[in-house]
Structure formats: structure tokens, C-alpha cells
């Protein structure tokens, strides 16, 4: 077995370690709560009504948590359409070129008719050597989220958000209902030694995970409200008028709808309902003539449009809004440079890493 193949196999195995750890903790919490607390402790104190309520509510949170976690892990990353892949002749020409400027010229020509509207600060076409494709807007890298051993992006970002939400509710419910018996543990009102151990750790583990997940969930709620990916929160995408961290923001309500969809009945269910195709995204400058924008201060003009424009039916489809439409926009010191496209997220896929 080649060293590289062996290394890849080891990476895949190690990637499942955090998932297996979380699965173990969840399985233990199920046993500790259902068997030890509800069946062996609460029911023995003749509080059958409380036992039933606790068990029903617990299983509701448990099922939604496991369902959303499962969907986050096993939803395959979306892949860009065939138009983003270089043709055989373009690949050969790209490989034969040693000059980066010539390579960028090849990529620029290939990207001319693609829906690419953003670039990095270096104004170069973003190309994935591994997948041999030009990355769509907002596509960042191929790495996976450690807690789910999968790329989190357009295809499963809603599931990831629900996973965080139900993790919070699951941990909060356990901590709140176990608190009474946790206090009894310190006042020596619990006589069962096994129950003491499980109740003590059940409270601490649920409280600890609640605090840690709360910070992560809050951060991603902020990202969704701003319509930014994790990378974009640190490095603003560059449009034809310059860098703009809020370039994809359509207002908080519409930003949330892009992730959770228009039908409210699906918002809390781990079923795919996100808007769009993961390759092109509505931006605040849709319908605005770039030549008109360049006549004035484009940054100020972009902000004057407001954060709540109509949601476009086919975002960024007009040729006049294409980032690569005007070559003169990408002339730097007299040298022509290519435009870039950041894509969505996931193993060079069509997923937005939020």
C-alpha cells in the first residue's frame, strides 16, 4: 500500500473518533437518564406522573437530536455542475503552462460564462487542482468539521444548525430535570450508589456541553443573520466594486430563509429546504449597472441600496452583473489578471461553510 493511500486511510479512521465519542456520550446519557434516573430513581418514589412527562419530553429531544446529527454526518456534499469543470483541452493547456499569468488567462477564459461574481484580494481565479474545477462563489476548501466528520456547507448547513439547536435543548432539558436530584445528592437524600454516580456526571456533562454548544450556536446564528460563511467572517469577499463583508446579505429575514427555506413547517425538521442551488447566490447589487456604480463611490452606493431588497428569482444571472464581464475592471498596473470565484463549501463542492 502506497504511503499516501495509507495516510488517507488513517485520516478517515481518525476522523470518526470525535463522532464515536459523541455517540458514546449520547448512549450513556440515554441509559443514565431513562434507566437510572427515571425508571430506577423517580418511579421508585411513586412519582409515576413525573416519570411519564420526563420520558416523553426526553425522547422528543433525543429523537430530533439524533435525526439532525445523522443528517449532518451522512448528507453528501453537493458538487458543482459540469460547467465548472475544465474541458480536456483546457486541462492540457493549463498543465503545460508554467507561468501563473498564462494559467490564470486560461482559467479566466474558462470562467467567462460562469456565474462568478467575487474574487479574493489577489484577484485570481480560484482553481482546485485536486478536483480540476473552477470553484463557484463562496466555495472555500475541502476540510471537514471534526464533530461530524463531514464537510458542512450548502447541502447540510441547515442540518448542522438544527443539530446545534437540538443539542442545546437536549442538554438544557437534562440539566434542568436532573438539578433536583443533583441537589439531593449533595444533601445525602439519595441512597442508591449507582444513581449517585450517574446523576452527578449527567448534570456536569449536560451543563458543560450546553455552555460549549451555546457559544458555537450563537456564533452560527450571527453568521446566518449576516449571510456569511466562516471564512467570510474573517476575510470579506471582493466584488467588482471592492471588498464587502455584507455583499451577500439581503436582510436578516431573507438571510435565514436562504438556509431554512420559505415553508415554516419544515424549519425545525432535518429535511432539506434551503433556497438556491449552492453555486450562485443573490447579492445586494443585483440589477445594478456596474458602469454606473464605477462612476461614483461604489462602496457607498452598495450600502445605500439597503439591507432588504426584493429576493431575486434568478440571482446574479444578468450578464451586466457578471464579475468577469468587463476585463478592464481587473487590470492591475497595466497587467490583466483573472477574476476569482469563491464557492460554497464542502470538499470543493457546492456548499457554503458557514
Amino acid at each position: 500500500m502506497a504511503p499516501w493511500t495509507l495516510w488517507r486511510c488513517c485520516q478517515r479512521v481518525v476522523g470518526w473518533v470525535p463522532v464515536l465519542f459523541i455517540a458514546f456520550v449520547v448512549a450513556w446519557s440515554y441509559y443514565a437518564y431513562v434507566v437510572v434516573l427515571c425508571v430506577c430513581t423517580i418511579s421508585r418514589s411513586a412519582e409515576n406522573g413525573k416519570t411519564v412527562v420526563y420520558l416523553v419530553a426526553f425522547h422528543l429531544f433525543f429523537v430530533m437530536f439524533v435525526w439532525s446529527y445523522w443528517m449532518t454526518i451522512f448528507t453528501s456534499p453537493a458538487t458543482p455542475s459540469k460547467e465548472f469543470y475544465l474541458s480536456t483541452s483546457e486541462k492540457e493547456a493549463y498543465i503545460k503552462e508554467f507561468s501563473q499569468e498564462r494559467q490564470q488567462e486560461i482559467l479566466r477564459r474558462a470562467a467567462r460564462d460562469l456565474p462568478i461574481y467575487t474574487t479574493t484580494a489577489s484577484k485570481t481565479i480560484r482553481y482546485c487542482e485536486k478536483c480540476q474545477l473552477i470553484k463557484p462563489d463562496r466555495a472555500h476548501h475541502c476540510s471537514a468539521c471534526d464533530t461530524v466528520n463531514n464537510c458542512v456547507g450548502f447541502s447540510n448547513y441547515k442540518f448542522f444548525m438544527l443539530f446545534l439547536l437540538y443539542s442545546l435543548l437536549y442538554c438544557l432539558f437534562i440539566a434542568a430535570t436532573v438539578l433536583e436530584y443533583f441537589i439531593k445528592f449533595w444533601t445525602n437524600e439519595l441512597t442508591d450508589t449507582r444513581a449517585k454516580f450517574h446523576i452527578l456526571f449527567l448534570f456536569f456533562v449536560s451543563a458543560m456541553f450546553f455552555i460549549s454548544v451555546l457559544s458555537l450556536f450563537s456564533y452560527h446564528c450571527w453568521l446566518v443573520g449576516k449571510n456569511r460563511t466562516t471564512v467570510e467572517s474573517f476575510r470579506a469577499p471582493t466584488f467588482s466594486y471592492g471588498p464587502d463583508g455584507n455583499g451577500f446579505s439581503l436582510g436578516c429575514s431573507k438571510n435565514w430563509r436562504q438556509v431554512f427555506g420559505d415553508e415554516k413547517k419544515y424549519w425545525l425538521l432535518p429535511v432539506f429546504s434551503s433556497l438556491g442551488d449552492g453555486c450562485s447566490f443573490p447579492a445586494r447589487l443585483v440589477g445594478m449597472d456596474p458602469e454606473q456604480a464605477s462612476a461614483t463611490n461604489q462602496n457607498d452606493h452598495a450600502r445605500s441600496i439597503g439591507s432588504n431588497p426584493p429576493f431575486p428569482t434568478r440571482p446574479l444571472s444578468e450578464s451586466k452583473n457578471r464579475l468577469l464581464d468587463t476585463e478592464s475592471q481587473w487590470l492591475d498596473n497595466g497587467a490583466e489578471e483573472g477574476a476569482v470565484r469563491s464557492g460554497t463549501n464542502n470538499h470543493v463542492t457546492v456548499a457554503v461553510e458557514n
Side-chain angles (χ1 to χ4, degrees), residues 148-209:
V148 298
N149 193 32
N150 192 13
C151 298
V152 176
F154 177 78
S155 58
N156 63 350
Y157 188 54
K158 176 191 174 183
F159 305 148
F160 179 72
M161 290 293 294
L162 291 179
F163 158 63
L164 296 179
L165 172 63
Y166 288 121
S167 298
L168 279 176
L169 296 178
Y170 182 72
C171 293
L172 179 61
F173 175 80
I174 291 178
T177 53
V178 171
L179 179 60
E180 174 186 352
Y181 302 92
F182 178 75
I183 295 175
K184 289 182 179 181
F185 165 82
W186 292 106
T187 56
N188 295 320
E189 296 182 41
L190 290 178
T191 57
D192 189 339
T193 305
R194 185 182 62 170
K196 286 182 178 181
F197 169 81
H198 286 289
I199 289 174
L200 175 65
F201 281 92
L202 194 60
F203 178 81
F204 277 121
V205 170
S206 59
M208 178 186 67
F209 273 91

Side-chain angles (χ1 to χ4, degrees), residues 18-84:
V19 176
L20 294 176
F21 173 74
I22 293 177
F24 171 78
V25 172
V26 173
W28 168 80
S29 68
Y30 184 91
Y31 169 78
Y33 193 90
V34 174
V35 178
V36 177
L37 179 65
C38 292
V39 176
C40 298
T41 303
I42 300 179
S43 61
R44 287 181 181 179
S45 61
E47 296 179 295
N48 294 328
K50 179 186 290 187
T51 302
V52 172
V53 172
Y54 280 9
L55 287 176
V56 170
F58 173 84
H59 281 91
L60 175 62
F61 292 124
F62 179 80
V63 169
M64 298 306 295
F65 165 76
V66 173
W67 185 8
S68 58
Y69 191 42
W70 177 277
M71 293 298 294
T72 305
I73 295 174
F74 295 104
T75 299
S76 299
T79 56
S81 57
K82 294 181 180 180
E83 62 181 349
F84 287 91

Side-chain angles (χ1 to χ4, degrees), residues 55 60 66 78 84 87 91-92 101 157 173 215 219 252 289 292 302 310 321 351:
L55 287 176
L60 175 62
V66 173
F84 287 91
S87 64
K91 290 179 186 177
E92 293 177 352
E101 293 182 1
Y157 188 54
F173 175 80
S215 60
Y219 174 63
C252 187
D289 188 349
Q292 177 185 358
N321 283 324

Side-chain angles (χ1 to χ4, degrees), residues 13 50 53 66 97-98 134 169 194 216 224 255 275 345:
V13 172
K50 179 186 290 187
V53 172
V66 173
E97 288 291 347
F98 294 97
I134 298 174
L169 296 178
R194 185 182 62 170
L216 182 60
V224 173
N255 293 341
L275 302 179
N345 174 1

